[in-house]
Amino acid sequence: MESIVKKRIQQVRKGDQDAFGEIVELFKDRVYHVCFRMLGNRHEAEDIAQEAFIRAYTNIHTFDIDRKFSTWLFRIATNLCIDRIRKKKPDYYLDAEVSGTDGLTMYSQVETDEPLPEEEVESMELQESIQKEISRLPDKYRSVIVLKYIEELSLKEISEILELPIGTVKTRIHRGREALRKQLRSI
Amino acid sequence: MNTCPENIVMMMHDYLDEEISPEHEKELKTHLQSCEACKTHFHELKKTVALVQSTSHIQAPGNFTQNVMAKLPKEKKKAGMNRWFNRHPLLAAAAVFLILMSGSLMTSWNGGDELSFTQSDQVVVEGNTVVVPEGETVQGDLTVRNGDLRIEGTVEGNVTVVNGQQFMAGAGGVTGEIEEIDQAFEWLWYSIKSAAKELGSFTSNDNE
């Protein structure tokens, strides 16, 4: 996997855009998933995940080919997510007009739910409440929890992605776990 | 509840991080058997982890890759140029040098429309014509720009007329070379030639 990625990156550096398409295919689900758990919103997750790949493309020459590409890519994505979380503090309103669209409000962005079997509704409700609690975490705990338990990355990798000492990552995971424990106790 | 040592909670987290030492693990287990509060705490932590991990893996939307590709900056031309520069650094340097050089020479060519010539007490100016009168002798080279030159006397050196014409009277004489330069291109060539000559004279001076 890593050797294929390296090969593609070298092709991208030589100006081959199609090779970048293959890189997007390989990583899109993981990047999108991390963004979704960080932001708790599909529309924003898609927006930020795309932006992460575009940044990776335009800065591909700064990537150290001897390092792990996914670490670098996740760093771009998590930084973008944290920026977005900090900027959007006053949350979206459903009837606010979506920027760049003509008279389209957030109501039209909400998927219409078809009737679902009861278990599925139950599991969806559980999923939604877990996601809601993750979204309530302060961003510095949220990023470590998402990388550790959604992406199942090692402490070392998380410390490289977030450019933090391992000790700090550990402390944040502990605090994030404690915060989530209190929030999820009732479930 | 707060009677338990602080490090018990630390050990729970070390356990969850799979970084607990065998001695601590033993200590933790013994403590959990005797302490109901810590047992609940530990159970809740494990449940939290299980819940977070139970969230389903969602996938990127179907047209994700196409959307990214459509938004990539179209800079193939620029990339191509950069690549060319990287591969031919010498040629690139030469090209830059030529562009700058020709630019500065063109400005010096276009720079003066006015008549100018090598200052000398022996010459007389008649309108747009510089005259070396009969019987006079100019010592050294004589250059006239943007005007004609009529030589009735003698010039002991080279004569250069830029953007003008040179007439020689029967009695006139020039000991050196006579040159007329009319075209911008010739001016360029002349500048390069004289620069080369100067360079040559420098090196020959060094040799002496």
Side-chain angles (χ1 to χ4, degrees), chain A residues 13-22 24-25 28-29 31-33 36-37 42 45-47 49-50 53-54 57-58 126-127 130-131 134 145 148-152 155 166 170 173-178 180-182 184-187, chain B residues 1 9-19 37 40-76 79-80 82-83 86-87:
Chain A
R13 284 183 173 173
K14 283 177 192 152
D16 184 353
Q17 274 198 343
D18 293 344
F20 193 72
E22 285 185 51
V24 178
E25 275 296 315
K28 62 175 185 178
D29 288 337
V31 171
Y32 176 76
H33 194 202
F36 176 70
R37 294 296 172 203
R42 280 173 196 270
E46 187 177 358
D47 202 30
Q50 281 186 8
F53 279 108
I54 292 165
Y57 177 82
T58 49
L126 178 64
Q127 294 256 332
I130 295 169
Q131 178 59 48
I134 294 174
I145 292 288
K148 168 118 180 110
Y149 289 113
I150 306 293
E151 267 309 310
E152 295 173 330
L155 294 179
I166 287 198
K170 257 189 216 172
I173 288 176
H174 296 182
R175 295 201 180 139
R177 259 192 312 237
E178 286 295 338
L180 270 183
R181 176 181 74 91
K182 286 170 195 152
L184 290 171
R185 197 184 274 162
S186 54
I187 290 181
Chain B
M1 186 160 174
V9 176
M10 241 352 256
M11 284 180 208
M12 293 182 197
H13 284 288
D14 285 342
Y15 177 86
L16 292 171
D17 287 339
E18 292 169 14
E19 287 194 338
T40 315
H41 190 139
F42 189 54
H43 174 75
E44 282 173 355
L45 277 177
K46 287 212 282 191
K47 189 178 132 191
T48 302
V49 170
L51 281 174
V52 173
Q53 282 177 326
S54 78
T55 55
S56 54
H57 268 256
I58 51 161
Q59 288 179 343
N63 51 358
F64 186 87
T65 305
Q66 285 121 278
N67 288 344
V68 171
M69 297 311 281
K71 284 184 190 166
L72 289 187
K74 307 267 180 292
E75 52 173 10
K76 277 193 171 158
N82 284 341
R83 214 164 39 243
N86 286 336
R87 280 191 199 156

Side-chain angles (χ1 to χ4, degrees), chain B:
Chain B
M1 186 160 174
N2 284 334
T3 52
C4 297
E6 181 77 5
N7 65 339
I8 290 292
V9 176
M10 241 352 256
M11 284 180 208
M12 293 182 197
H13 284 288
D14 285 342
Y15 177 86
L16 292 171
D17 287 339
E18 292 169 14
E19 287 194 338
I20 195 166
S21 64
E23 303 90 71
H24 279 167
E25 190 170 348
K26 215 170 170 187
E27 198 186 328
L28 176 67
K29 279 188 175 156
T30 323
H31 180 83
L32 290 181
Q33 275 163 1
S34 60
C35 178
E36 205 51 42
C38 285
K39 206 173 162 184
T40 315
H41 190 139
F42 189 54
H43 174 75
E44 282 173 355
L45 277 177
K46 287 212 282 191
K47 189 178 132 191
T48 302
V49 170
L51 281 174
V52 173
Q53 282 177 326
S54 78
T55 55
S56 54
H57 268 256
I58 51 161
Q59 288 179 343
N63 51 358
F64 186 87
T65 305
Q66 285 121 278
N67 288 344
V68 171
M69 297 311 281
K71 284 184 190 166
L72 289 187
K74 307 267 180 292
E75 52 173 10
K76 277 193 171 158
K77 220 181 207 173
K78 205 182 146 212
M81 234 165 86
N82 284 341
R83 214 164 39 243
W84 192 85
F85 276 129
N86 286 336
R87 280 191 199 156
H88 312 281
L90 260 177
L91 268 178
V96 170
F97 174 77
L98 266 180
I99 290 164
L100 293 178
M101 266 306 274
S102 60
S104 72
L105 284 173
M106 283 306 177
T107 37
S108 68
W109 165 253
N110 289 326
D113 286 343
E114 283 171 39
L115 170 71
S116 65
F117 55 96
T118 314
Q119 283 304 318
S120 169
D121 292 337
Q122 280 78 35
V123 298
V124 178
V125 180
E126 289 175 6
N128 212 24
T129 308
V130 178
V131 183
V132 181
E134 212 174 333
E136 294 283 358
T137 305
V138 175
Q139 302 281 343
D141 297 347
L142 182 62
T143 305
V144 176
R145 285 177 189 224
N146 304 315
D148 298 336
L149 173 66
R150 198 165 74 237
I151 302 172
E152 291 162 2
T154 324
V155 177
E156 293 195 336
N158 298 331
V159 169
T160 313
V161 182
V162 181
N163 224 9
Q165 277 181 302
Q166 177 273 136
F167 309 100
M168 183 101 67
V174 173
T175 58
E177 288 172 36
I178 303 171
E179 232 173 327
E180 273 181 38
I181 301 166
D182 272 335
Q183 303 295 326
F185 183 76
E186 280 183 46
W187 168 236
L188 184 83
W189 177 233
Y190 172 77
S191 296
I192 292 169
K193 224 164 54 177
S194 50
K197 261 189 208 159
E198 241 166 73
L199 213 69
S201 66
F202 274 132
T203 43
S204 59
N205 280 349
D206 286 346
N207 290 343
E208 271 167 23

Side-chain angles (χ1 to χ4, degrees), chain A residues 21-182:
Chain A
E22 285 185 51
I23 294 178
V24 178
E25 275 296 315
L26 284 172
F27 291 100
K28 62 175 185 178
D29 288 337
R30 293 172 71 193
V31 171
Y32 176 76
H33 194 202
V34 165
C35 291
F36 176 70
R37 294 296 172 203
M38 288 285 286
L39 301 164
N41 171 312
R42 280 173 196 270
H43 184 74
E44 276 190 285
E46 187 177 358
D47 202 30
I48 295 294
Q50 281 186 8
E51 179 66 25
F53 279 108
I54 292 165
R55 296 251 176 127
Y57 177 82
T58 49
N59 295 303
I60 198 82
H61 292 270
T62 67
F63 169 66
D64 180 355
I65 200 95
D66 296 324
R67 289 178 177 259
K68 210 170 164 186
F69 180 71
S70 60
T71 304
W72 187 70
L73 185 61
F74 280 135
R75 185 183 306 153
I76 297 173
T78 47
N79 283 341
L80 286 171
C81 286
I82 291 170
D83 279 355
R84 174 61 67 97
I85 292 165
R86 290 181 184 163
K87 264 182 211 156
K88 73 162 188 177
K89 275 284 148 60
D91 221 324
Y92 280 143
Y93 294 102
L94 278 178
D95 50 8
E97 201 172 292
V98 180
S99 62
T101 57
D102 205 22
L104 207 64
T105 67
M106 284 305 273
Y107 280 119
S108 44
Q109 299 283 306
V110 179
E111 291 155 61
T112 47
D113 287 0
E114 285 169 32
L116 288 164
E118 203 164 308
E119 309 156 26
E120 231 169 286
V121 172
E122 228 168 72
S123 108
M124 264 185 61
E125 276 171 0
L126 178 64
Q127 294 256 332
E128 264 169 38
S129 47
I130 295 169
Q131 178 59 48
K132 211 179 105 201
E133 297 308 331
I134 294 174
S135 300
R136 274 176 57 197
L137 286 175
D139 54 64
K140 60 180 176 179
Y141 300 151
R142 206 188 306 176
S143 45
V144 289
I145 292 288
V146 165
L147 292 174
K148 168 118 180 110
Y149 289 113
I150 306 293
E151 267 309 310
E152 295 173 330
L153 298 175
S154 66
L155 294 179
K156 188 173 165 289
E157 244 181 311
I158 298 172
S159 97
E160 279 170 22
I161 289 171
L162 299 173
E163 294 176 299
L164 292 170
I166 287 198
T168 311
V169 173
K170 257 189 216 172
T171 314
R172 288 188 180 180
I173 288 176
H174 296 182
R175 295 201 180 139
R177 259 192 312 237
E178 286 295 338
L180 270 183
R181 176 181 74 91
K182 286 170 195 152

